[in-house]
PDB file of all heavy atoms in Angstrom:
ATOM      1  N   ASP A1306    -116.596 127.924   7.986  1.00  0.00           N
ATOM      2  CA  ASP A1306    -116.227 126.696   7.285  1.00  0.00           C
ATOM      3  C   ASP A1306    -116.420 126.829   5.780  1.00  0.00           C
ATOM      4  O   ASP A1306    -115.553 126.464   5.000  1.00  0.00           O
ATOM      5  CB  ASP A1306    -117.045 125.502   7.800  1.00  0.00           C
ATOM      6  CG  ASP A1306    -116.639 125.096   9.202  1.00  0.00           C
ATOM      7  OD1 ASP A1306    -115.493 125.360   9.607  1.00  0.00           O
ATOM      8  OD2 ASP A1306    -117.481 124.509   9.903  1.00  0.00           O
ATOM      9  N   PHE A1307    -117.578 127.358   5.380  1.00  0.00           N
ATOM     10  CA  PHE A1307    -117.875 127.447   3.957  1.00  0.00           C
ATOM     11  C   PHE A1307    -118.842 128.597   3.706  1.00  0.00           C
ATOM     12  O   PHE A1307    -119.859 128.711   4.385  1.00  0.00           O
ATOM     13  CB  PHE A1307    -118.505 126.131   3.477  1.00  0.00           C
ATOM     14  CG  PHE A1307    -118.821 126.095   2.014  1.00  0.00           C
ATOM     15  CD1 PHE A1307    -117.815 125.955   1.066  1.00  0.00           C
ATOM     16  CD2 PHE A1307    -120.129 126.205   1.576  1.00  0.00           C
ATOM     17  CE1 PHE A1307    -118.111 125.915  -0.288  1.00  0.00           C
ATOM     18  CE2 PHE A1307    -120.434 126.163   0.228  1.00  0.00           C
ATOM     19  CZ  PHE A1307    -119.427 126.018  -0.710  1.00  0.00           C
ATOM     20  N   VAL A1308    -118.492 129.450   2.762  1.00  0.00           N
ATOM     21  CA  VAL A1308    -119.382 130.519   2.327  1.00  0.00           C
ATOM     22  C   VAL A1308    -119.512 130.402   0.820  1.00  0.00           C
ATOM     23  O   VAL A1308    -118.517 130.477   0.092  1.00  0.00           O
ATOM     24  CB  VAL A1308    -118.847 131.920   2.701  1.00  0.00           C
ATOM     25  CG1 VAL A1308    -119.779 133.003   2.170  1.00  0.00           C
ATOM     26  CG2 VAL A1308    -118.680 132.048   4.199  1.00  0.00           C
ATOM     27  N   TRP A1309    -120.726 130.185   0.372  1.00  0.00           N
ATOM     28  CA  TRP A1309    -121.009 130.071  -1.060  1.00  0.00           C
ATOM     29  C   TRP A1309    -121.593 131.396  -1.506  1.00  0.00           C
ATOM     30  O   TRP A1309    -122.686 131.767  -1.101  1.00  0.00           O
ATOM     31  CB  TRP A1309    -121.981 128.926  -1.300  1.00  0.00           C
ATOM     32  CG  TRP A1309    -122.404 128.731  -2.719  1.00  0.00           C
ATOM     33  CD1 TRP A1309    -121.757 129.109  -3.852  1.00  0.00           C
ATOM     34  CD2 TRP A1309    -123.600 128.080  -3.146  1.00  0.00           C
ATOM     35  NE1 TRP A1309    -122.466 128.731  -4.959  1.00  0.00           N
ATOM     36  CE2 TRP A1309    -123.609 128.097  -4.556  1.00  0.00           C
ATOM     37  CE3 TRP A1309    -124.663 127.486  -2.475  1.00  0.00           C
ATOM     38  CZ2 TRP A1309    -124.636 127.550  -5.300  1.00  0.00           C
ATOM     39  CZ3 TRP A1309    -125.689 126.932  -3.223  1.00  0.00           C
ATOM     40  CH2 TRP A1309    -125.666 126.958  -4.614  1.00  0.00           C
ATOM     41  N   GLU A1310    -120.840 132.123  -2.325  1.00  0.00           N
ATOM     42  CA  GLU A1310    -121.295 133.425  -2.780  1.00  0.00           C
ATOM     43  C   GLU A1310    -121.980 133.271  -4.136  1.00  0.00           C
ATOM     44  O   GLU A1310    -121.359 132.827  -5.102  1.00  0.00           O
ATOM     45  CB  GLU A1310    -120.129 134.404  -2.869  1.00  0.00           C
ATOM     46  CG  GLU A1310    -120.576 135.829  -3.052  1.00  0.00           C
ATOM     47  CD  GLU A1310    -119.486 136.857  -2.795  1.00  0.00           C
ATOM     48  OE1 GLU A1310    -118.356 136.456  -2.462  1.00  0.00           O
ATOM     49  OE2 GLU A1310    -119.775 138.047  -2.918  1.00  0.00           O
ATOM     50  N   THR A1311    -123.252 133.630  -4.192  1.00  0.00           N
ATOM     51  CA  THR A1311    -124.036 133.549  -5.415  1.00  0.00           C
ATOM     52  C   THR A1311    -124.375 134.964  -5.880  1.00  0.00           C
ATOM     53  O   THR A1311    -124.097 135.939  -5.180  1.00  0.00           O
ATOM     54  CB  THR A1311    -125.350 132.767  -5.192  1.00  0.00           C
ATOM     55  OG1 THR A1311    -126.243 133.584  -4.415  1.00  0.00           O
ATOM     56  CG2 THR A1311    -125.112 131.443  -4.477  1.00  0.00           C
ATOM     57  N   ALA A1312    -125.009 135.057  -7.027  1.00  0.00           N
ATOM     58  CA  ALA A1312    -125.431 136.365  -7.533  1.00  0.00           C
ATOM     59  C   ALA A1312    -126.456 137.011  -6.599  1.00  0.00           C
ATOM     60  O   ALA A1312    -126.550 138.233  -6.509  1.00  0.00           O
ATOM     61  CB  ALA A1312    -126.010 136.218  -8.938  1.00  0.00           C
ATOM     62  N   GLU A1313    -127.228 136.196  -5.868  1.00  0.00           N
ATOM     63  CA  GLU A1313    -128.269 136.713  -4.965  1.00  0.00           C
ATOM     64  C   GLU A1313    -127.741 137.049  -3.581  1.00  0.00           C
ATOM     65  O   GLU A1313    -128.358 137.805  -2.834  1.00  0.00           O
ATOM     66  CB  GLU A1313    -129.417 135.697  -4.835  1.00  0.00           C
ATOM     67  CG  GLU A1313    -130.226 135.499  -6.100  1.00  0.00           C
ATOM     68  CD  GLU A1313    -129.548 134.532  -7.080  1.00  0.00           C
ATOM     69  OE1 GLU A1313    -128.796 133.642  -6.628  1.00  0.00           O
ATOM     70  OE2 GLU A1313    -129.749 134.700  -8.282  1.00  0.00           O
ATOM     71  N   GLY A1314    -126.639 136.457  -3.187  1.00  0.00           N
ATOM     72  CA  GLY A1314    -126.090 136.665  -1.858  1.00  0.00           C
ATOM     73  C   GLY A1314    -125.289 135.455  -1.404  1.00  0.00           C
ATOM     74  O   GLY A1314    -125.028 134.545  -2.180  1.00  0.00           O
ATOM     75  N   CYS A1315    -124.922 135.440  -0.132  1.00  0.00           N
ATOM     76  CA  CYS A1315    -124.077 134.383   0.425  1.00  0.00           C
ATOM     77  C   CYS A1315    -124.887 133.350   1.206  1.00  0.00           C
ATOM     78  O   CYS A1315    -125.851 133.682   1.890  1.00  0.00           O
ATOM     79  CB  CYS A1315    -123.040 134.986   1.366  1.00  0.00           C
ATOM     80  SG  CYS A1315    -121.863 136.068   0.555  1.00  0.00           S
ATOM     81  N   VAL A1316    -124.430 132.118   1.110  1.00  0.00           N
ATOM     82  CA  VAL A1316    -124.957 131.022   1.914  1.00  0.00           C
ATOM     83  C   VAL A1316    -123.827 130.565   2.830  1.00  0.00           C
ATOM     84  O   VAL A1316    -122.732 130.238   2.358  1.00  0.00           O
ATOM     85  CB  VAL A1316    -125.428 129.848   1.027  1.00  0.00           C
ATOM     86  CG1 VAL A1316    -125.907 128.692   1.882  1.00  0.00           C
ATOM     87  CG2 VAL A1316    -126.513 130.309   0.055  1.00  0.00           C
ATOM     88  N   VAL A1317    -124.082 130.574   4.132  1.00  0.00           N
ATOM     89  CA  VAL A1317    -123.096 130.174   5.135  1.00  0.00           C
ATOM     90  C   VAL A1317    -123.390 128.742   5.561  1.00  0.00           C
ATOM     91  O   VAL A1317    -124.528 128.416   5.920  1.00  0.00           O
ATOM     92  CB  VAL A1317    -123.158 131.101   6.370  1.00  0.00           C
ATOM     93  CG1 VAL A1317    -122.166 130.662   7.431  1.00  0.00           C
ATOM     94  CG2 VAL A1317    -122.919 132.548   5.966  1.00  0.00           C
ATOM     95  N   VAL A1318    -122.369 127.894   5.518  1.00  0.00           N
ATOM     96  CA  VAL A1318    -122.513 126.502   5.952  1.00  0.00           C
ATOM     97  C   VAL A1318    -121.428 126.212   6.985  1.00  0.00           C
ATOM     98  O   VAL A1318    -120.242 126.403   6.714  1.00  0.00           O
ATOM     99  CB  VAL A1318    -122.380 125.508   4.777  1.00  0.00           C
ATOM    100  CG1 VAL A1318    -122.560 124.069   5.261  1.00  0.00           C
ATOM    101  CG2 VAL A1318    -123.367 125.838   3.666  1.00  0.00           C
ATOM    102  N   ASP A1319    -121.841 125.777   8.172  1.00  0.00           N
ATOM    103  CA  ASP A1319    -120.898 125.397   9.212  1.00  0.00           C
ATOM    104  C   ASP A1319    -120.983 123.889   9.399  1.00  0.00           C
ATOM    105  O   ASP A1319    -122.075 123.338   9.528  1.00  0.00           O
ATOM    106  CB  ASP A1319    -121.208 126.123  10.525  1.00  0.00           C
ATOM    107  CG  ASP A1319    -120.054 126.022  11.489  1.00  0.00           C
ATOM    108  OD1 ASP A1319    -118.972 126.544  11.153  1.00  0.00           O
ATOM    109  OD2 ASP A1319    -120.219 125.413  12.552  1.00  0.00           O
ATOM    110  N   TYR A1320    -119.834 123.227   9.393  1.00  0.00           N
ATOM    111  CA  TYR A1320    -119.781 121.778   9.532  1.00  0.00           C
ATOM    112  C   TYR A1320    -119.670 121.389  11.000  1.00  0.00           C
ATOM    113  O   TYR A1320    -118.914 122.002  11.747  1.00  0.00           O
ATOM    114  CB  TYR A1320    -118.569 121.211   8.786  1.00  0.00           C
ATOM    115  CG  TYR A1320    -118.585 121.478   7.312  1.00  0.00           C
ATOM    116  CD1 TYR A1320    -117.985 122.610   6.783  1.00  0.00           C
ATOM    117  CD2 TYR A1320    -119.212 120.603   6.440  1.00  0.00           C
ATOM    118  CE1 TYR A1320    -117.996 122.862   5.420  1.00  0.00           C
ATOM    119  CE2 TYR A1320    -119.236 120.848   5.081  1.00  0.00           C
ATOM    120  CZ  TYR A1320    -118.620 121.974   4.576  1.00  0.00           C
ATOM    121  OH  TYR A1320    -118.642 122.221   3.234  1.00  0.00           O
ATOM    122  N   LYS A1321    -120.400 120.366  11.388  1.00  0.00           N
ATOM    123  CA  LYS A1321    -120.343 119.837  12.753  1.00  0.00           C
ATOM    124  C   LYS A1321    -120.116 118.334  12.672  1.00  0.00           C
ATOM    125  O   LYS A1321    -120.697 117.650  11.826  1.00  0.00           O
ATOM    126  CB  LYS A1321    -121.652 120.103  13.508  1.00  0.00           C
ATOM    127  CG  LYS A1321    -121.998 121.580  13.638  1.00  0.00           C
ATOM    128  CD  LYS A1321    -120.965 122.310  14.468  1.00  0.00           C
ATOM    129  CE  LYS A1321    -121.297 123.784  14.590  1.00  0.00           C
ATOM    130  NZ  LYS A1321    -120.181 124.556  15.108  1.00  0.00           N
ATOM    131  N   THR A1322    -119.274 117.818  13.545  1.00  0.00           N
ATOM    132  CA  THR A1322    -119.008 116.386  13.547  1.00  0.00           C
ATOM    133  C   THR A1322    -119.592 115.763  14.800  1.00  0.00           C
ATOM    134  O   THR A1322    -119.219 116.115  15.922  1.00  0.00           O
ATOM    135  CB  THR A1322    -117.497 116.092  13.485  1.00  0.00           C
ATOM    136  OG1 THR A1322    -116.845 116.792  14.538  1.00  0.00           O
ATOM    137  CG2 THR A1322    -116.908 116.553  12.156  1.00  0.00           C
ATOM    138  N   THR A1323    -120.523 114.879  14.595  1.00  0.00           N
ATOM    139  CA  THR A1323    -121.128 114.106  15.672  1.00  0.00           C
ATOM    140  C   THR A1323    -121.771 112.876  15.048  1.00  0.00           C
ATOM    141  O   THR A1323    -122.135 112.885  13.882  1.00  0.00           O
ATOM    142  CB  THR A1323    -122.184 114.921  16.446  1.00  0.00           C
ATOM    143  OG1 THR A1323    -122.703 114.109  17.510  1.00  0.00           O
ATOM    144  CG2 THR A1323    -123.321 115.375  15.567  1.00  0.00           C
ATOM    145  N   LYS A1324    -121.891 111.844  15.841  1.00  0.00           N
ATOM    146  CA  LYS A1324    -122.595 110.646  15.385  1.00  0.00           C
ATOM    147  C   LYS A1324    -124.022 110.618  15.926  1.00  0.00           C
ATOM    148  O   LYS A1324    -124.727 109.645  15.764  1.00  0.00           O
ATOM    149  CB  LYS A1324    -121.831 109.399  15.821  1.00  0.00           C
ATOM    150  CG  LYS A1324    -120.499 109.257  15.123  1.00  0.00           C
ATOM    151  CD  LYS A1324    -119.793 107.990  15.545  1.00  0.00           C
ATOM    152  CE  LYS A1324    -118.446 107.906  14.861  1.00  0.00           C
ATOM    153  NZ  LYS A1324    -117.716 106.708  15.257  1.00  0.00           N
ATOM    154  N   ALA A1325    -124.428 111.726  16.551  1.00  0.00           N
ATOM    155  CA  ALA A1325    -125.786 111.804  17.112  1.00  0.00           C
ATOM    156  C   ALA A1325    -126.815 111.708  15.995  1.00  0.00           C
ATOM    157  O   ALA A1325    -126.573 112.134  14.866  1.00  0.00           O
ATOM    158  CB  ALA A1325    -125.961 113.112  17.866  1.00  0.00           C
ATOM    159  N   ASN A1326    -127.965 111.162  16.320  1.00  0.00           N
ATOM    160  CA  ASN A1326    -129.019 111.037  15.307  1.00  0.00           C
ATOM    161  C   ASN A1326    -129.831 112.318  15.204  1.00  0.00           C
ATOM    162  O   ASN A1326    -129.693 113.239  16.005  1.00  0.00           O
ATOM    163  CB  ASN A1326    -129.912 109.824  15.589  1.00  0.00           C
ATOM    164  CG  ASN A1326    -130.671 109.938  16.891  1.00  0.00           C
ATOM    165  OD1 ASN A1326    -131.010 111.031  17.337  1.00  0.00           O
ATOM    166  ND2 ASN A1326    -130.925 108.813  17.517  1.00  0.00           N
ATOM    167  N   ARG A1327    -130.688 112.364  14.199  1.00  0.00           N
ATOM    168  CA  ARG A1327    -131.495 113.542  13.910  1.00  0.00           C
ATOM    169  C   ARG A1327    -132.326 113.964  15.120  1.00  0.00           C
ATOM    170  O   ARG A1327    -132.440 115.145  15.432  1.00  0.00           O
ATOM    171  CB  ARG A1327    -132.398 113.245  12.706  1.00  0.00           C
ATOM    172  CG  ARG A1327    -133.257 114.402  12.283  1.00  0.00           C
ATOM    173  CD  ARG A1327    -134.136 113.989  11.095  1.00  0.00           C
ATOM    174  NE  ARG A1327    -134.970 115.070  10.648  1.00  0.00           N
ATOM    175  CZ  ARG A1327    -136.150 115.372  11.165  1.00  0.00           C
ATOM    176  NH1 ARG A1327    -136.643 114.678  12.160  1.00  0.00           N
ATOM    177  NH2 ARG A1327    -136.851 116.385  10.699  1.00  0.00           N
ATOM    178  N   ASP A1328    -132.923 113.010  15.802  1.00  0.00           N
ATOM    179  CA  ASP A1328    -133.755 113.333  16.963  1.00  0.00           C
ATOM    180  C   ASP A1328    -132.949 114.044  18.048  1.00  0.00           C
ATOM    181  O   ASP A1328    -133.420 115.005  18.657  1.00  0.00           O
ATOM    182  CB  ASP A1328    -134.412 112.073  17.524  1.00  0.00           C
ATOM    183  CG  ASP A1328    -135.465 111.499  16.592  1.00  0.00           C
ATOM    184  OD1 ASP A1328    -136.014 112.250  15.754  1.00  0.00           O
ATOM    185  OD2 ASP A1328    -135.729 110.285  16.680  1.00  0.00           O
ATOM    186  N   ALA A1329    -131.726 113.590  18.290  1.00  0.00           N
ATOM    187  CA  ALA A1329    -130.880 114.225  19.302  1.00  0.00           C
ATOM    188  C   ALA A1329    -130.502 115.635  18.881  1.00  0.00           C
ATOM    189  O   ALA A1329    -130.471 116.549  19.706  1.00  0.00           O
ATOM    190  CB  ALA A1329    -129.624 113.390  19.533  1.00  0.00           C
ATOM    191  N   LEU A1330    -130.238 115.837  17.595  1.00  0.00           N
ATOM    192  CA  LEU A1330    -129.868 117.160  17.099  1.00  0.00           C
ATOM    193  C   LEU A1330    -130.996 118.169  17.286  1.00  0.00           C
ATOM    194  O   LEU A1330    -130.745 119.355  17.492  1.00  0.00           O
ATOM    195  CB  LEU A1330    -129.494 117.094  15.617  1.00  0.00           C
ATOM    196  CG  LEU A1330    -128.257 116.265  15.272  1.00  0.00           C
ATOM    197  CD1 LEU A1330    -128.107 116.168  13.762  1.00  0.00           C
ATOM    198  CD2 LEU A1330    -127.014 116.845  15.909  1.00  0.00           C
ATOM    199  N   LEU A1331    -132.225 117.715  17.222  1.00  0.00           N
ATOM    200  CA  LEU A1331    -133.380 118.599  17.321  1.00  0.00           C
ATOM    201  C   LEU A1331    -133.977 118.670  18.725  1.00  0.00           C
ATOM    202  O   LEU A1331    -134.942 119.391  18.949  1.00  0.00           O
ATOM    203  CB  LEU A1331    -134.450 118.167  16.310  1.00  0.00           C
ATOM    204  CG  LEU A1331    -134.003 118.205  14.848  1.00  0.00           C
ATOM    205  CD1 LEU A1331    -135.101 117.682  13.934  1.00  0.00           C
ATOM    206  CD2 LEU A1331    -133.563 119.590  14.429  1.00  0.00           C
ATOM    207  N   ASN A1332    -133.384 117.961  19.671  1.00  0.00           N
ATOM    208  CA  ASN A1332    -133.880 117.915  21.042  1.00  0.00           C
ATOM    209  C   ASN A1332    -133.142 118.947  21.896  1.00  0.00           C
ATOM    210  O   ASN A1332    -131.934 118.845  22.118  1.00  0.00           O
ATOM    211  CB  ASN A1332    -133.684 116.506  21.610  1.00  0.00           C
ATOM    212  CG  ASN A1332    -134.238 116.358  22.997  1.00  0.00           C
ATOM    213  OD1 ASN A1332    -134.372 117.315  23.746  1.00  0.00           O
ATOM    214  ND2 ASN A1332    -134.560 115.133  23.356  1.00  0.00           N
ATOM    215  N   LYS A1333    -133.882 119.929  22.416  1.00  0.00           N
ATOM    216  CA  LYS A1333    -133.279 120.997  23.216  1.00  0.00           C
ATOM    217  C   LYS A1333    -132.565 120.486  24.461  1.00  0.00           C
ATOM    218  O   LYS A1333    -131.714 121.172  25.007  1.00  0.00           O
ATOM    219  CB  LYS A1333    -134.344 122.016  23.637  1.00  0.00           C
ATOM    220  CG  LYS A1333    -134.854 122.853  22.514  1.00  0.00           C
ATOM    221  CD  LYS A1333    -135.869 123.862  23.008  1.00  0.00           C
ATOM    222  CE  LYS A1333    -136.418 124.690  21.862  1.00  0.00           C
ATOM    223  NZ  LYS A1333    -137.390 125.675  22.328  1.00  0.00           N
TER     224      LYS A1333
END
């Protein structure tokens, strides 16, 4: 989805679409 290339290296960001809350995202 998104790769931000900096002088130090790359940052990878993947976008996810959900209306779930933070607790649900962190619940196995």
Side-chain angles (χ1 to χ4, degrees):
D1306 289 335
F1307 182 74
V1308 177
W1309 178 24
E1310 192 165 0
T1311 72
E1313 292 81 28
C1315 295
V1316 177
V1317 178
V1318 181
D1319 195 63
Y1320 299 91
K1321 300 296 179 193
T1322 54
T1323 182
K1324 293 182 182 179
N1326 64 30
R1327 182 181 180 275
D1328 291 337
L1330 296 174
L1331 300 177
N1332 183 335
K1333 289 182 182 181

